[in-house]
Amino acid sequence: MTEQNRGFALITGASAGIGAVYADRLARRGYDLILVARNSERLQSIAKLITEATLRKVETVVADLSDRAGVKRVEDILRTDPRITMLVNNAGLAAVAPLLASDVDTMSNIVAVNIDALVRLTYAVVPGFVDRKAGTIINVSSAVAIGAEMLNGVYSASKAFVLAFSQSLKNELADKGVRIQVVLPGATATDIWASAGMPVENLPKEIVMATEPMVDAALSGLDQGEFATAPSLPNLGDWDAFDKSRRALAKNLSRSEPADRYGVVRN
């Protein structure tokens, strides 16, 4: 049982995998929960287990985030419920097949869930967080956000969007009391791999992390004040160097003249 009350955390994709572990861990940290997922039976099962283990309040919302009506249902909750102090944007779809072997409608669904739904839910919750000068948003991205060549291009691009969007949110909301964290897990042992057509058992064991330590590391990163948490990364200085290099490069990407190597003569 937990005694501390930190408000409600709304977690998407909460019926299994990473989302279910976030639900368990946040309840044990003193959060009541609003769990969102498509699968009603699994959602109710997770809610029952957490309630019995922690005595926290657990509410459930059955919603398909690839469907605009489902997204709107969750948007309305985030926009109007002042009990919510944390949003965990975890729901996502994955793909591993290359472009020529992929179905474009499946790719559109990935964009709908991984990008559109995440944006709309974030837009719904931020004004209330800003008004209350408090709130936390955790966006679950992926290591492929900076390694697009590793998997399907649409999936990788969707996770790169989550990283870039989170960077922008951090910049815009830093002085408004809203905390942003982006999590970049590597391969994690969840059912999403099988759903994408590549069971996790087919991956090299040395690159696959179990779900529980992945989430525990991510929450430890949150406690330590990290903006970007890559649970597998041994040396945080590598990320800092990458980010410093990115910022330095950005300063040279918009100039009044083409670079000399292009041989463009200005009249």
Side-chain angles (χ1 to χ4, degrees):
M1 178 178 177
T2 53
E3 299 294 338
Q4 186 177 13
N5 190 333
R6 295 186 171 187
F8 274 76
L10 188 146
I11 306 167
T12 65
S15 64
I18 292 171
V21 178
Y22 262 111
D24 174 79
R25 298 308 197 256
L26 290 175
R28 295 178 188 279
R29 283 171 168 242
Y31 287 91
D32 295 317
L33 304 174
I34 301 174
L35 305 182
V36 179
R38 293 178 296 176
N39 190 310
S40 176
E41 184 176 345
R42 288 199 304 189
L43 198 58
Q44 296 303 327
S45 177
I46 290 292
K48 183 173 183 293
L49 288 172
I50 292 173
T51 300
E52 290 175 349
T54 68
L55 303 184
R56 303 307 313 181
K57 297 176 183 175
V58 183
E59 301 174 9
T60 61
V61 180
V62 178
D64 182 352
L65 297 186
S66 68
D67 175 71
R68 184 55 63 86
V71 176
K72 186 178 185 305
R73 191 175 308 128
V74 184
E75 283 182 87
D76 290 343
I77 294 168
L78 290 167
R79 193 175 289 115
T80 60
D81 191 340
R83 302 175 302 167
I84 296 172
T85 58
M86 176 182 285
L87 168 62
V88 181
N89 277 315
N90 165 71
L93 300 176
V96 296
L99 183 148
L100 293 177
S102 300
D103 173 68
V104 70
D105 290 331
T106 300
M107 298 302 101
S108 290
N109 279 338
I110 289 174
V111 171
V113 175
N114 296 10
I115 296 178
D116 189 61
L118 182 144
V119 168
R120 296 189 71 90
L121 299 188
T122 302
Y123 267 65
V125 80
V126 163
F129 282 179
V130 170
D131 286 346
R132 296 187 290 275
K133 297 181 173 58
T136 300
I137 298 173
I138 299 174
N139 289 330
V140 179
S141 178
S142 168
V144 300
I146 58 170
E149 303 87 353
M150 296 194 302
L151 286 178
N152 171 276
V154 173
Y155 174 68
S156 299
S158 74
K159 292 303 186 178
F161 175 92
V162 174
L163 173 58
F165 184 53
S166 299
Q167 288 165 331
S168 177
L169 289 172
K170 176 178 179 288
N171 181 61
E172 290 189 31
L173 301 174
D175 62 347
K176 294 178 172 58
V178 182
R179 175 80 188 280
I180 306 296
Q181 183 196 30
V182 60
V183 182
L184 298 100
T188 308
T190 71
D191 292 341
I192 197 170
W193 289 96
S195 300
M198 180 186 290
V200 71
E201 294 79 10
N202 293 354
L203 299 174
K205 291 182 179 180
E206 62 271 19
I207 72 165
V208 180
M209 187 178 294
T211 311
E212 290 81 1
M214 195 290 289
V215 174
D216 290 339
L219 288 172
S220 177
L222 183 72
D223 294 340
Q224 293 176 48
E226 291 181 359
F227 159 65
T229 296
S232 296
L233 186 65
N235 183 358
L236 184 60
D238 290 344
W239 178 268
D240 294 337
F242 165 77
D243 194 55
K244 183 178 180 180
S245 177
R246 176 186 68 83
R247 292 173 182 273
L249 178 65
K251 294 177 182 179
N252 285 317
L253 295 179
S254 181
R255 291 172 172 264
S256 61
E257 300 286 346
D260 291 344
R261 68 181 174 277
Y262 297 120
V264 177
V265 178
R266 184 173 179 179
N267 296 326

